[in-house]
Amino acid sequence: ETGVTQSPTHLIKTRGQQVTLRCSSQSGHNTVSWYQQALGQGPQFIFQYYREEENGRGNFPPRFSGLQFPNYSSELNVNALELDDSALYLCASSVLAGSHEQYFGPGTRLTVT
Amino acid sequence: AQKVTQAQTEISVVEKEDVTLDCVYETRDTTYYLFWYKQPPSGELVFLIRRNSFDEQNEISGRYSWNFQKSTSSFNFTITASQVVDSAVYFCALSEEANNNDMRFGAGTRLTVKP
């Protein structure tokens, strides 16, 4: 069984640029959630995708957007990067939408300068 | 709105000691779910347990045990006979049935187990 994978591992961008992060869900999982984890803090929910549709969103501005593909992999896009966007971005997959066991990937460390 | 508080920022113990990590939560929902995750230095969150609000039975899994008390809104985690490999940041999290895709995490407790 293949676990959740994310790419890239690390990324450095300049303020104002755009970034795309990628996530492949665990085999058999149709739901993907994205979280932002600032240094020294717990993860914060960005949004969830279930069967290619957004299924809930946290308190993040519209410049954070996402996609889920037919194979259930997902992308997180962030436009107009700000310094505060520097964080570890975690992707998690689960068998069903909602409050089920979520299995996390290793994350993408984004640094905005 | 739901909230999770982990008052212990850092804990340091010596190997073989028992340690309890505290978690207090707030929610207005009668149906909710509580979780514990472990985050080792590699960064990947590892699922440990999920408990729904109707199941107050304590659970034991090897050296790990969890004490869920609705009366005090707490869901504490105990590691018995700690080992160096237990060193990590541990997060408690909560999601409400009414908004069950939004999992709220506490700030985490960094546990260091010294040999």
Side-chain angles (χ1 to χ4, degrees):
Chain A
E1 187 176 82
T2 306
V4 179
T5 59
Q6 291 186 244
S7 63
T9 307
H10 296 89
L11 202 52
I12 300 175
K13 289 285 189 178
T14 303
R15 191 170 50 183
Q17 286 187 315
Q18 178 265 343
V19 68
T20 297
L21 310 182
R22 294 178 174 83
C23 170
S24 291
S25 59
Q26 186 163 316
S27 177
H29 289 187
N30 58 21
T31 302
V32 172
S33 302
W34 285 93
Y35 294 83
Q36 180 195 66
Q37 186 179 17
L39 202 60
Q41 297 182 23
Q44 287 192 55
F45 174 68
I46 303 175
F47 43 56
Q48 183 181 87
Y49 278 83
Y50 171 63
R51 293 187 174 180
E52 303 178 58
E53 297 286 334
E54 188 177 287
N55 182 48
R57 187 180 184 92
N59 190 26
F60 280 81
R63 60 189 185 85
F64 285 78
S65 63
L67 281 174
Q68 187 178 33
F69 301 100
N71 66 355
Y72 303 130
S73 66
S74 177
E75 286 182 355
L76 163 65
N77 299 291
V78 187
N79 293 323
L81 284 167
E82 301 176 0
L83 296 179
D84 284 349
D85 295 335
S86 295
L88 180 68
Y89 287 85
L90 294 162
C91 164
S93 74
S94 53
V95 173
L96 294 172
S99 302
H100 295 274
E101 300 166 22
Q102 295 188 4
Y103 294 87
F104 284 79
T108 294
R109 172 74 61 189
L110 173 65
T111 302
V112 182
T113 62
Chain B
Q2 72 255 52
K3 182 181 177 183
V4 175
T5 301
Q6 294 180 257
Q8 303 151 309
T9 307
E10 295 191 32
I11 299 176
S12 181
V13 299
V14 177
E15 208 169 18
K16 297 184 183 177
E17 285 185 12
D18 297 347
V19 59
T20 296
L21 309 182
D22 297 334
C23 174
V24 174
Y25 62 90
E26 295 176 30
T27 178
R28 294 178 184 172
D29 216 337
T30 55
T31 303
Y32 52 89
Y33 304 88
L34 295 163
F35 304 80
W36 275 95
Y37 281 87
K38 173 183 180 179
Q39 188 173 43
S42 60
E44 186 171 334
L45 282 162
V46 177
F47 169 82
L48 296 177
I49 190 172
R50 170 182 180 262
R51 179 52 54 88
N52 72 55
S53 53
F54 297 108
D55 183 2
E56 284 194 75
Q57 268 197 326
N58 291 329
E59 179 150 343
I60 298 174
S61 176
R63 295 184 298 107
Y64 295 170
S65 62
W66 290 270
N67 183 349
F68 177 26
Q69 292 197 339
K70 287 178 78 169
S71 60
T72 56
S73 297
S74 65
F75 186 44
N76 296 337
F77 172 33
T78 298
I79 302 174
T80 302
S82 60
Q83 300 177 1
V84 173
V85 293
D86 295 328
S87 297
V89 181
Y90 290 86
F91 291 97
C92 180
L94 162 73
S95 63
E96 298 172 332
E97 179 68 18
N99 189 20
N100 62 16
N101 47 40
D102 182 356
M103 191 157 61
R104 297 290 177 95
F105 286 80
T109 297
R110 180 177 297 278
L111 174 65
T112 302
V113 182
K114 300 178 181 177

